[in-house]
Amino acid sequence: MSSTISAAPLNPVTVKKFYTAADGTIVYRPGEQFQVADLATVQRAVNFASLQSLQR
């Protein structure tokens, strides 16, 4: 059993939506973006927040 915790603040990635225009160019859809993070990153962020709370 491990006695360490992998902890780090959450640093999500911003994903932007694009579409292909009639002329074949790829165009960003203004205002259509969202932030994502994988499960391992979220788990580390929860561990980080928990450790911060315990330290206080």
Side-chain angles (χ1 to χ4, degrees):
M1 182 170 175
S2 177
S3 62
T4 61
I5 294 176
S6 178
L10 185 62
N11 188 15
V13 175
T14 299
V15 176
K16 297 180 178 182
K17 290 187 177 181
F18 293 83
Y19 68 94
T20 304
D23 65 359
T25 59
I26 297 175
V27 182
Y28 167 63
R29 288 186 174 183
E32 294 201 29
Q33 64 186 29
F34 54 95
Q35 292 187 322
V36 297
D38 61 81
L39 183 57
T41 302
V42 172
Q43 186 174 23
R44 283 191 299 272
V46 169
N47 291 343
F48 179 80
S50 298
L51 290 173
Q52 293 294 313
S53 294
L54 289 171
Q55 288 176 348
R56 285 185 237 129

